[in-house]
Amino acid sequence: MKLEVFAENLDFPEGPIALNDGSAIVVELKSQSLKRLYPNGHFEIIAQVQGAPNGAALGPDGIIYVANNGGISWKESDGLIAPGPQPEDFIGGRIQTIHPNGEVKNLYTHYADGPILAPNDIVMDGQGGFYFTDHGQRREHDMDLGSLSYGRLDGSLVKRLVSPLFTPNGVGISPDGKRVYVSETITGRVWWWEIQAAGELNLSGHGANLLVGLGDFTFFDSLAVDAEGNVSVATMPKGGITTISPQGEVIDFVEVPLKDPTVTNICFGGENMQTAFITASGTGRLYKAQWPRRGLKLHYADEL
């Protein structure tokens, strides 16, 4: 499979969104921005976002919903940038909306019982709400555990659904809307839960179902689901995308061309949903590829 560089010199890109005109939107965590990238190399900054915008999803009326983890410290090694522990200027995790004109608003900063810690990834459910991962916070000598959470688009409700989780990262929904998937970074596992209704999971018994656990010093970042229900998850430090069937079988692994241990996300777009965009964050690149399987068209994908 050929991966071509769609954009480079990005400042730790994440949260890709493929748009109908062939452009793509990414967040840049380090430079705190939401940026639109065009095939001809042109780009525009939609908004500057205080903290660290980590994940993004397109919602109704072209509004972009952002999972902002509140801020990250940074370190550089061998020419690669990587996130560090919670910084001194941490502003607190939050879910935000960004209007096409660049206006940034806080939608949620707190649950009923305490602050939102560090939202990482977000996916729309098409029923007036969205699921998001609250990654938790890492400091020099301790850390907060995270959760799978749910919010309403209108700002009326935000709640934890599954807590605690250990470094929850990517989140996605199956094509039939009956499963929500979550990848955990440090454990290298992908879990799923049965969706009973919007923002309601079947938590009877163990509740969580293990899709895959790769082991062997494998970390997972964000994910996307394709039209067949396979889960494609960014895999570190191998530097690529692992695709897993709904039954938990590893289908394949695609490595980015320039070695980058911090491949963080993937999304699908294009006329037939077979164009994949992959964020290689350590080297600051967004790759584009013709994917062997059709991606799942997300809710509100035609809104912008």
Side-chain angles (χ1 to χ4, degrees):
M1 182 188 308
K2 181 181 179 182
L3 277 69
E4 61 182 74
V5 176
F6 186 81
E8 54 190 342
N9 300 315
L10 302 173
D11 220 0
F12 210 86
E14 244 274 32
I17 301 172
L19 300 181
N20 290 334
D21 65 353
S23 66
I25 290 175
V26 296
V27 297
E28 290 181 300
L29 277 77
K30 193 170 185 292
S31 62
Q32 302 173 310
S33 68
L34 184 72
K35 183 178 285 186
R36 187 167 185 171
L37 309 167
Y38 293 89
N40 62 3
H42 174 68
F43 70 87
E44 59 187 29
I45 295 175
I46 299 172
Q48 293 294 149
V49 187
Q50 185 184 10
N54 204 148
L58 188 57
D61 303 318
I63 294 174
I64 297 169
Y65 288 72
V66 169
N68 188 328
N69 68 35
I72 295 178
S73 62
W74 297 95
K75 56 185 178 180
E76 185 172 340
S77 178
D78 298 326
L80 301 173
I81 55 174
Q86 179 178 312
E88 292 183 1
D89 60 352
F90 177 70
I91 66 169
R94 56 202 59 210
I95 300 295
Q96 296 172 302
T97 59
I98 301 180
H99 192 274
N101 66 10
E103 182 183 17
V104 180
K105 291 184 178 180
N106 291 331
L107 183 65
Y108 298 111
T109 60
H110 287 73
Y111 303 109
D113 59 352
I116 295 174
L117 299 175
N120 190 293
D121 199 10
I122 182 170
V123 65
M124 298 289 156
D125 70 352
Q127 300 183 63
F130 54 87
Y131 295 87
F132 68 97
T133 48
D134 193 344
H135 189 72
Q137 273 295 336
R138 176 169 64 93
R139 291 170 290 274
E140 187 174 359
H141 299 297
D142 68 324
M143 67 184 299
D144 300 317
L145 298 180
S147 63
L148 168 63
S149 301
Y150 186 81
R152 300 290 298 178
L153 294 172
D154 61 7
S156 63
L157 172 71
V158 65
K159 61 180 180 178
R160 298 181 186 90
L161 298 179
V162 183
S163 178
L165 293 174
F166 189 39
T167 60
N169 198 314
V171 61
I173 300 174
S174 61
D176 61 7
K178 295 182 179 180
R179 288 185 180 186
V180 58
Y181 293 100
V182 171
S183 57
E184 285 184 323
T185 300
I186 301 301
T187 66
R189 292 181 175 179
V190 177
W191 303 92
W192 65 269
W193 289 263
E194 179 189 355
I195 298 174
Q196 293 186 316
E200 301 292 336
L201 306 181
N202 180 2
L203 299 178
S204 62
H206 293 293
N209 302 274
L210 180 65
L211 182 71
V212 73
L214 294 188
D216 191 28
F217 197 64
T218 298
F219 296 162
F220 283 146
D221 209 285
S222 294
L223 62 83
V225 179
D226 70 24
E228 300 172 15
N230 304 306
V231 177
S232 292
V233 57
T235 307
M236 306 179 294
K238 296 178 181 179
I241 303 293
T242 303
T243 299
I244 305 137
S245 76
Q247 293 74 40
E249 301 169 348
V250 175
I251 296 173
D252 57 29
F253 174 76
V254 176
E255 186 176 12
V256 300
L258 181 62
K259 182 64 177 177
D260 187 333
T262 320
V263 171
T264 55
N265 210 335
I266 179 173
C267 74
F268 299 109
E271 285 188 19
N272 59 2
M273 295 301 295
Q274 277 190 255
T275 301
F277 290 93
I278 298 169
T279 49
S281 301
T283 52
R285 291 185 165 194
L286 179 66
Y287 288 99
K288 177 182 176 182
Q290 184 70 12
W291 205 247
R293 294 166 292 275
R294 289 177 51 248
L296 178 64
K297 189 170 185 177
L298 299 177
H299 298 290
Y300 314 113
D302 298 325
E303 294 286 324
L304 190 63

